[in-house]
Amino acid sequence: MATKVEVLDFIRLFADKMTEHRQELTDLDQAIGDGDHGINMSRGMKAVIEKLPTFEEKGTDEILKSVGMTLVSTVGGASGPLYGTAFMKAGMVVKGKDELSEQDIINMFQEAIVGIQSRGKAVKGEKTMLDSIMPALDQIKASIEAGDSIEDAIVKGEQAAWDGVEFTKTIIATKGRASYLGERSIGHQDPGATSMAYLFQAAKEIAKK
Amino acid sequence: MATKVEVLDFIRLFADKMTEHRQELTDLDQAIGDGDHGINMSRGMKAVIEKLPTFEEKGTDEILKSVGMTLVSTVGGASGPLYGTAFMKAGMVVKGKDELSEQDIINMFQEAIVGIQSRGKAVKGEKTMLDSIMPALDQIKASIEAGDSIEDAIVKGEQAAWDGVEFTKTIIATKGRASYLGERSIGHQDPGATSMAYLFQAAKEIAKK
Amino acid sequence: MKKFINDVENVENEMLEGIVLAHPEYVTRLEGFDVLVRSDKKAGKVALVSGGGSGHEPSHGGFVGKGMLDGAVAGSVFTSPTPDQVFEAIKAVDAGQGVLLVIKNYTGDIMNFEMAAELAEAEGIKVVNVVTNDDVAVEDSLYTTGRRGVAGTVFVHKIAGAKAETGASLDDVKNTAEKVIANVRTMGVALKPCTVPAAGKPGFELTEEEMELGIGIHGEPGTERKPIQTADEIVDYLMERILKDMSPETGDEVAVMVNGAGATPPMELYILNRRVQQILAEKGIKVFKTFVGDYMTSIDMAGASITLLKLDDELKELLMAEADTIGFKM
Amino acid sequence: MKKFINDVENVENEMLEGIVLAHPEYVTRLEGFDVLVRSDKKAGKVALVSGGGSGHEPSHGGFVGKGMLDGAVAGSVFTSPTPDQVFEAIKAVDAGQGVLLVIKNYTGDIMNFEMAAELAEAEGIKVVNVVTNDDVAVEDSLYTTGRRGVAGTVFVHKIAGAKAETGASLDDVKNTAEKVIANVRTMGVALKPCTVPAAGKPGFELTEEEMELGIGIHGEPGTERKPIQTADEIVDYLMERILKDMSPETGDEVAVMVNGAGATPPMELYILNRRVQQILAEKGIKVFKTFVGDYMTSIDMAGASITLLKLDDELKELLMAEADTIGFKM
Ligand SMILES: Nc1ncnc2c1ncn2[C@@H]1O[C@H](COP(=O)(O)OP(=O)(O)O)[C@@H](O)[C@H]1O
Ligand SMILES: Nc1ncnc2c1ncn2[C@@H]1O[C@H](COP(=O)(O)OP(=O)(O)O)[C@@H](O)[C@H]1O
Ligand SMILES: [Mg+2]
Ligand SMILES: [Mg+2]
Ligand SMILES: [Mg+2]
Ligand SMILES: [Mg+2]
């Protein structure tokens, strides 16, 4: 179960994490990309926080859509359309709802993945943000099925996201900017998968409160 | 007394010194100029050595003039016209002579100075090559008047040239590229005065043989 | 990081202000947007819009004007612009004949420009796009995102822009652009990395003895690191890669671009060009026209790229057609 | 030292070869000399010759062509060319109407060009010269060699070149050049020094926190070293010095040149320009035309200079007159 207040807290916490890890994400992107992922994400989430007062009174679905649209129009690069679409799609699937059920939360992540894949045309294993969001959602679904609470499921989901981040170190990038490096991308951790794992970290910290 | 062979030896030795001290002269010029004096002088004297076979059979006056013309057409910068004119003028004042008397030697340096001054419009104390050639010649003249041999006079002349080089550290440059530095040129040794002192060093080493 | 800047957060905006203040006769900024459009908007022709991250100047704003682009969209440094900005550019330049988007092949650029195109189409504007991918350093295969678009994109701006200026239809302009894309090849090398202002430190490190081959235009590491070589050896290597991919035949005519990455002085570009021309002469390939200078930079990178464009009569004529922009005049 | 070069002894020559191979339609090299002349030598007009050390590209060969220079002489890097080279240029371009030498005020340049003029006069060629000295960093007094000639020289090439193209007499072209010289002022700043290839190491050292003000164009140290400031603060300082010397009045019209030293990307030049234009607007000085780019470089120095030229009607017309050269097209 998640309330609107929790969703807002999650957004604020994710924004804090993007500011806090700005340099780390940028350093990761310097190794295999163009060194702007932390800059991009923190710019985007800063804009979200600035605009939040204009839409925080609305429903959860509208809030998520507004976050997505703000990201699309302030981030640019690859992560702007991808994170933006993810939030917009997540908002669309909970249309009209204020309280979110376990199933709503699963549906949101599911739709976020669909959005990322329809924009980016990538699959799991290409060294992208999909490599943390997809195993995370799989884990959450499996936990719930095994009878865990949503809170525990999210805790385990975050762990799966970080495992996915670790996994990105072992594979060649075949999508995004890192793909130009070919073999040289092996050994490096994907910045987008990392920021996505922080998203689950934020979700976990809110869930555990 | 100086023979044509000695003059040729002196030219070769001066060329060696310019190659040997190329870096030192360049470093001096980097501090207060544009860092090319050693490059310029070694390029010029290298060209002289290459062309020497084409004029070493001629008279001493012609040899000196050819050295000057070669410097003018290969050095460029400030030192090209100045050293070039100095050698050309020195050649002109010993026209038709093969053996050079004490007075010839004095006249040559005198004419070299006139040449440098007519081209460069500088006087002593402006932190230029004049600050080593002028005291050197004054010392040579004084020594000869005091009864020294030309060899001893040149030994003392070289010393005066180096004293002049030391003196350039204490003054502001008001001619040449170093003058743009104003006060900041104080404390630095003038590259052109230094290369000129090496010219006297070469003359001394030949004289003492 | 030593740069003439005021505030890392504001370089893109202050740069755009500086461009417009310098060249009001060429470009006008859409108020509230990071979009430059022709000061003399021309009606009755297909409009061209390009753009990308900032830091590639004179690309893209420097190529806005007669015979080239109608609008250029500037993102943050090395970050493709957002869809709303591109959408604004499209609306501003459309003169009813449709708009061609010239996109460099990067995931981010493609996604953002395509989202903009969707917005524009929803408003009834005809939008088509071409994607440049001239970089032979990157292998083009089903399993990658394909080649990057780099300096060769400038030839697309020039030639498609000239085509549009003739009054050609959107389809024809697009076809001409595609022809350029099919015939243009580039490869680049860096001696020193560049520094994104907001990052504050170079994108990669090279020792005094190393160079980075197969670089893109965003300060990313290249495909290969090697001990530094002479200018001629470097050109030999780049040209071999380009020519292998292009496989021109004796008698073919090409345009050459020796492009500087931002901190490479003309002296070095001309020394590179010397060897490029020697190689082409040896191979019996005729050089129709050569461009040497900074066209598609990577902020302050010391590096260069070589571009060859195989020409036919149409491309030759359009390449030589009048262009009057800040960064490209013919 | 990391550069695209083959052999430090041969950079000047290989660069000239690269220029001619790139732009045969603009420049031709006098065989055996480091002299570039117009490929379309024009008869019936006064000819202009300039030059200096190499390393200032596109100066000077890049300004050879219609409406600017007829010949450019290239010395070794930062070393003024020798008299025989200049003499050869004079002979090649003289069309019977006389030759104007545009000399930058450096001891070496003046001596070498004057010796060349003496040689030319001995052969009956009418030669006059002007000496540019636009650098306000250096005090002009009886006790110095006077101000240096720096980027403002490019305006002399442009405007005196346009005057010559009108068919004006040698005296008139000279007078116009003198008018430009009387009205043009420049000051420069460096963030990073440059490296003369043959020297192999930078001309001076700056820490990450220092900048050098009042630099010339030969990598010499400047007149002052200061902690690095923002772009706006730097421009404020340079403009104060320039305006103080120039003392323009409200309503005066100027041309602006924000010149890059070789390794400064357009992004930074435009950020500098932004502040230049703001200051001029505040003072009520009208900007007639602005030039931003690399016009008079110092090899690979990261730095810039600001030039203002006070205009009257004649200068305005000549500034806007057609020019078609490698590095300057109007
Ligand atoms: N096609 C794609 N699908 C999913 N994620 C992608 C794709 N392309 C790139 N990414 C993600 O985006 C991240 C890079 O984002 P960012 O650096 O902000 O954008 P850019 O690559 O345009 O500079 C990568 O680390 C990767 O996780
Ligand atoms: N007007 C002058 N008269 C005499 N010597 C001069 C004059 N100007 C410069 N010099 C000498 O020339 C030297 C510099 O020579 P060089 O570095 O080869 O030429 P440039 O200054 O053109 O780079 C100075 O150190 C100084 O001794
Ligand atoms: Mg990135
Ligand atoms: Mg010097
Ligand atoms: Mg990016
Ligand atoms: Mg010099």
Side-chain angles (χ1 to χ4, degrees):
Chain A
M1 220 70 58
T3 63
K4 197 182 102 174
V5 172
E6 282 173 321
V7 169
L8 286 169
D9 283 349
F10 156 75
I11 291 164
R12 289 199 188 88
L13 187 57
F14 180 51
D16 288 349
K17 289 194 183 288
M18 290 302 96
T19 306
E20 190 185 331
H21 298 285
R22 182 177 190 269
Q23 192 61 48
E24 176 197 345
L25 295 171
T26 296
D27 289 348
L28 290 173
D29 198 31
Q30 280 201 327
I32 53 169
D34 58 349
D36 60 0
H37 187 58
I39 302 167
N40 291 343
M41 291 303 297
S42 66
R43 178 179 57 240
M45 289 308 297
K46 217 176 110 188
V48 165
I49 297 303
E50 274 164 19
K51 284 206 188 159
L52 209 50
T54 67
F55 57 74
E56 63 187 345
E57 303 301 325
K58 298 191 180 164
T60 303
D61 58 338
E62 289 294 327
I63 291 174
L64 290 170
K65 270 165 58 184
S66 298
V67 169
M69 277 160 57
T70 306
L71 290 177
V72 164
S73 68
T74 55
V75 175
S79 47
L82 294 171
Y83 267 101
T85 305
F87 274 95
M88 291 196 300
K89 289 273 185 182
M92 278 144 85
V93 81
V94 295
K95 199 168 164 72
K97 303 196 175 159
D98 237 24
E99 292 268 294
L100 305 179
S101 69
E102 285 172 8
Q103 192 54 48
D104 287 333
I105 293 176
I106 289 174
N107 290 347
M108 277 166 51
F109 282 118
Q110 190 60 55
E111 275 304 297
I113 292 171
V114 170
I116 292 170
Q117 291 197 298
S118 72
R119 273 278 155 236
K121 315 268 182 319
V123 295
K124 206 158 87 174
E126 297 201 276
K127 200 173 185 129
T128 72
M129 55 179 70
L130 290 172
D131 292 318
S132 55
I133 191 173
M134 289 176 83
L137 177 59
D138 288 347
Q139 177 61 51
I140 290 172
K141 283 200 275 193
S143 292
I144 297 277
E145 264 165 45
D148 282 347
S149 70
I150 182 72
E151 288 76 15
D152 287 346
I154 290 179
V155 170
K156 289 181 186 164
E158 187 215 350
Q159 188 50 54
W162 287 113
D163 291 346
V165 168
E166 277 307 304
F167 174 65
T168 63
K169 290 189 193 166
T170 67
I171 54 176
I172 295 194
T174 50
K175 279 280 161 1
R177 226 175 260 287
S179 67
Y180 306 130
L181 280 179
E183 301 271 335
R184 285 176 86 187
S185 69
I186 295 181
H188 296 282
Q189 170 179 336
D190 182 61
T194 310
S195 58
M196 186 60 81
Y198 282 121
L199 183 144
F200 282 94
Q201 192 179 72
K204 174 195 74 178
E205 289 169 17
I206 298 301
K208 277 178 59 179
K209 259 209 259 180
Chain B
M1 222 70 58
T3 62
K4 197 181 101 173
V5 172
E6 284 174 320
V7 170
L8 285 170
D9 283 349
F10 155 76
I11 291 164
R12 290 199 188 90
L13 187 58
F14 181 51
D16 288 348
K17 289 191 184 292
M18 290 302 96
T19 306
E20 190 184 333
H21 298 285
R22 183 175 188 269
Q23 193 60 48
E24 176 197 344
L25 295 170
T26 296
D27 289 348
L28 290 173
D29 198 31
Q30 280 201 327
I32 53 170
D34 58 350
D36 61 1
H37 187 59
I39 302 167
N40 291 344
M41 291 303 296
S42 66
R43 177 178 59 240
M45 289 308 296
K46 216 177 109 187
V48 166
I49 297 303
E50 274 164 19
K51 283 206 189 161
L52 208 52
T54 68
F55 58 73
E56 65 187 343
E57 302 302 323
K58 298 189 179 166
T60 302
D61 57 338
E62 288 294 327
I63 291 174
L64 290 169
K65 270 165 58 184
S66 298
V67 169
M69 276 159 58
T70 305
L71 291 176
V72 164
S73 67
T74 56
V75 176
S79 46
L82 293 171
Y83 268 100
T85 304
F87 274 94
M88 291 196 300
K89 288 275 184 183
M92 278 144 86
V93 81
V94 294
K95 198 172 167 67
K97 300 194 178 161
D98 237 25
E99 292 269 294
L100 306 180
S101 68
E102 285 172 7
Q103 192 54 48
D104 287 333
I105 293 175
I106 289 173
N107 290 346
M108 278 166 49
F109 282 117
Q110 189 59 55
E111 275 303 297
I113 292 170
V114 169
I116 292 170
Q117 291 197 300
S118 72
R119 273 278 155 235
K121 315 266 178 327
V123 296
K124 206 157 85 173
E126 299 201 274
K127 200 173 186 129
T128 71
M129 55 179 72
L130 289 171
D131 291 316
S132 55
I133 191 173
M134 289 176 82
L137 177 59
D138 287 346
Q139 177 60 53
I140 291 172
K141 283 200 274 194
S143 291
I144 298 277
E145 264 168 43
D148 281 347
S149 69
I150 182 72
E151 288 77 15
D152 287 347
I154 291 179
V155 170
K156 290 182 185 164
E158 187 215 350
Q159 189 50 54
W162 288 112
D163 292 345
V165 168
E166 278 305 306
F167 174 66
T168 63
K169 291 188 191 166
T170 67
I171 55 177
I172 295 194
T174 49
K175 278 281 158 10
R177 226 176 259 288
S179 66
Y180 305 130
L181 281 179
E183 301 272 336
R184 286 175 86 187
S185 69
I186 295 180
H188 295 282
Q189 170 178 336
D190 182 61
T194 310
S195 59
M196 186 60 82
Y198 282 120
L199 182 144
F200 282 95
Q201 192 180 71
K204 174 195 76 180
E205 288 170 17
I206 298 300
K208 276 178 61 181
K209 260 207 263 183
Chain C
M1 176 180 60
K2 293 176 98 172
K3 289 181 187 288
F4 294 118
I5 55 174
N6 293 302
D7 173 6
V8 292
E9 302 287 327
N10 216 11
V11 286
E12 297 86 352
N13 180 52
E14 292 190 355
M15 174 183 71
L16 289 174
E17 287 184 21
I19 293 175
V20 172
L21 286 167
H23 314 292
E25 69 276 32
Y26 284 108
V27 291
T28 303
R29 184 170 180 175
L30 293 188
E31 226 190 289
F33 292 90
D34 297 338
V35 174
L36 299 180
V37 297
R38 275 175 73 161
S39 293
D40 62 331
K41 180 176 170 162
K42 198 175 161 191
K45 78 176 223 1
V46 167
L48 271 77
V49 169
S50 191
S54 292
H56 304 304
E57 297 69 32
S59 292
H60 302 83
F63 302 135
V64 169
K66 182 161 190 197
M68 291 184 81
L69 301 177
D70 297 274
V73 196
S76 299
V77 173
F78 291 170
T79 302
S80 45
T82 56
D84 52 320
Q85 300 274 345
V86 181
F87 177 40
E88 215 57 40
I90 294 171
K91 282 191 293 185
V93 304
D94 177 45
Q97 322 285 307
V99 178
L100 175 71
L101 303 182
V102 181
I103 311 175
K104 292 187 290 311
N105 188 28
Y106 296 99
T107 311
D109 288 66
I110 290 181
M111 291 191 297
N112 286 288
F113 276 79
E114 280 182 353
M115 287 173 87
E118 289 162 18
L119 295 170
E121 274 156 11
E123 293 215 358
I125 303 177
K126 238 167 73 192
V127 182
V128 297
N129 70 53
V130 293
V131 177
T132 68
N133 61 352
D134 49 314
D135 187 1
V136 301
V138 173
E139 247 186 284
D140 191 12
S141 88
L142 269 178
Y143 307 104
T144 68
T145 37
R147 293 175 147 162
R148 296 177 286 215
V150 287
T153 308
V154 179
F155 282 134
V156 180
H157 298 160
K158 172 66 189 76
I159 290 173
K163 184 78 180 184
E165 207 78 40
T166 67
S169 72
L170 185 56
D171 276 351
D172 286 348
V173 175
K174 183 183 165 168
N175 287 340
T176 298
E178 299 280 18
K179 199 205 276 184
V180 178
I181 293 170
N183 286 288
V184 67
R185 296 291 182 277
T186 300
M187 188 159 162
V189 53
L191 298 183
K192 296 178 197 164
C194 61
T195 304
V196 174
K201 63 185 175 66
F204 52 90
E205 302 278 348
L206 286 175
T207 69
E208 266 299 300
E209 282 74 38
E210 288 172 334
M211 62 178 178
E212 188 84 14
L213 288 156
I215 50 152
I217 56 171
H218 299 93
E220 328 78 307
T223 50
E224 222 180 319
R225 188 163 296 188
K226 271 197 180 177
I228 194 165
Q229 297 179 309
T230 66
D232 285 359
E233 287 166 339
I234 292 170
V235 172
D236 288 351
Y237 181 78
L238 299 179
M239 286 291 282
E240 197 194 303
R241 293 285 301 268
I242 295 168
L243 290 172
K244 194 174 149 196
D245 193 277
M246 196 174 196
S247 46
E249 283 158 32
T250 307
D252 275 355
E253 286 191 72
V254 296
V256 173
M257 176 175 285
V258 179
N259 171 58
T264 308
M267 169 180 281
E268 297 176 40
L269 297 179
Y270 280 113
I271 289 176
L272 294 172
N273 174 62
R274 172 180 166 273
R275 184 71 192 140
V276 172
Q277 306 281 338
Q278 286 176 348
I279 293 171
L280 292 172
E282 278 163 23
K283 302 226 180 284
I285 297 163
K286 213 184 133 193
V287 176
F288 177 71
K289 179 85 185 168
T290 302
F291 301 86
V292 178
D294 286 2
Y295 292 95
M296 179 73 76
T297 59
S298 301
I299 329 179
D300 55 357
M301 176 176 281
S305 64
I306 298 169
T307 299
L308 297 187
L309 167 64
K310 196 150 78 179
L311 297 166
D312 64 10
D313 287 341
E314 186 200 9
L315 298 187
K316 278 199 255 180
E317 195 185 318
L318 293 170
L319 180 63
M320 298 307 285
E322 193 191 344
D324 190 19
T325 70
I326 300 162
F328 205 113
K329 292 185 177 73
M330 289 283 280
Chain D
M1 175 181 62
K2 291 177 102 172
K3 288 180 188 287
F4 294 117
I5 55 174
N6 293 302
D7 172 8
V8 292
E9 302 287 327
N10 215 11
V11 286
E12 298 86 352
N13 180 52
E14 292 191 354
M15 174 182 72
L16 289 174
E17 286 183 21
I19 294 175
V20 172
L21 285 167
H23 314 292
E25 68 276 32
Y26 284 110
V27 291
T28 304
R29 183 170 180 177
L30 293 186
E31 226 191 289
F33 293 90
D34 298 338
V35 175
L36 298 181
V37 297
R38 276 175 72 162
S39 292
D40 63 330
K41 179 176 172 164
K42 198 175 163 192
K45 77 176 224 1
V46 167
L48 272 77
V49 169
S50 190
S54 292
H56 304 304
E57 297 71 30
S59 294
H60 302 83
F63 302 136
V64 169
K66 181 160 191 198
M68 292 184 80
L69 301 177
D70 297 273
V73 196
S76 299
V77 174
F78 291 170
T79 303
S80 46
T82 56
D84 51 319
Q85 300 273 347
V86 181
F87 177 40
E88 215 58 38
I90 294 171
K91 282 191 293 184
V93 303
D94 178 45
Q97 324 283 306
V99 178
L100 175 71
L101 303 181
V102 181
I103 311 175
K104 292 188 290 312
N105 187 28
Y106 296 99
T107 312
D109 287 67
I110 291 180
M111 291 191 296
N112 286 289
F113 275 79
E114 280 182 352
M115 287 173 87
E118 288 163 18
L119 295 170
E121 275 157 11
E123 292 215 358
I125 303 177
K126 238 165 76 188
V127 182
V128 297
N129 70 54
V130 293
V131 178
T132 68
N133 59 353
D134 49 314
D135 187 1
V136 302
V138 174
E139 245 187 287
D140 191 12
S141 88
L142 269 178
Y143 307 104
T144 69
T145 38
R147 292 172 148 162
R148 297 177 286 215
V150 287
T153 308
V154 178
F155 281 135
V156 181
H157 297 160
K158 172 66 189 75
I159 291 173
K163 184 78 179 184
E165 209 78 40
T166 67
S169 72
L170 185 56
D171 277 352
D172 285 348
V173 175
K174 183 183 164 163
N175 286 340
T176 298
E178 300 279 20
K179 199 205 273 183
V180 178
I181 293 170
N183 285 290
V184 66
R185 297 290 183 278
T186 300
M187 189 159 161
V189 53
L191 298 183
K192 297 179 196 163
C194 60
T195 303
V196 174
K201 62 185 176 67
F204 52 89
E205 302 278 348
L206 286 175
T207 68
E208 266 299 299
E209 283 72 41
E210 288 173 334
M211 63 179 177
E212 187 85 15
L213 289 156
I215 49 150
I217 55 171
H218 299 94
E220 342 53 324
T223 50
E224 221 179 320
R225 188 163 296 189
K226 271 197 180 176
I228 194 166
Q229 296 179 311
T230 66
D232 285 359
E233 287 166 341
I234 293 170
V235 171
D236 288 351
Y237 181 78
L238 298 180
M239 285 291 284
E240 196 194 302
R241 293 284 301 269
I242 294 168
L243 290 171
K244 193 173 151 196
D245 193 279
M246 198 174 194
S247 44
E249 283 157 33
T250 307
D252 275 355
E253 284 191 74
V254 296
V256 173
M257 176 175 285
V258 179
N259 172 58
T264 309
M267 168 180 281
E268 297 176 39
L269 297 179
Y270 280 113
I271 289 176
L272 295 172
N273 175 63
R274 173 179 165 274
R275 184 71 191 140
V276 171
Q277 306 280 339
Q278 286 176 348
I279 293 171
L280 292 172
E282 278 163 22
K283 301 225 180 286
I285 298 162
K286 212 184 132 195
V287 176
F288 177 71
K289 178 88 186 166
T290 301
F291 301 86
V292 177
D294 286 1
Y295 292 95
M296 179 72 75
T297 59
S298 301
I299 329 180
D300 54 356
M301 177 177 279
S305 64
I306 297 168
T307 300
L308 297 187
L309 167 63
K310 197 151 76 178
L311 297 166
D312 63 10
D313 287 341
E314 186 201 8
L315 297 187
K316 278 199 255 182
E317 196 185 319
L318 292 169
L319 180 63
M320 297 307 285
E322 192 192 345
D324 189 18
T325 69
I326 300 164
F328 204 113
K329 293 184 176 70
M330 291 282 282

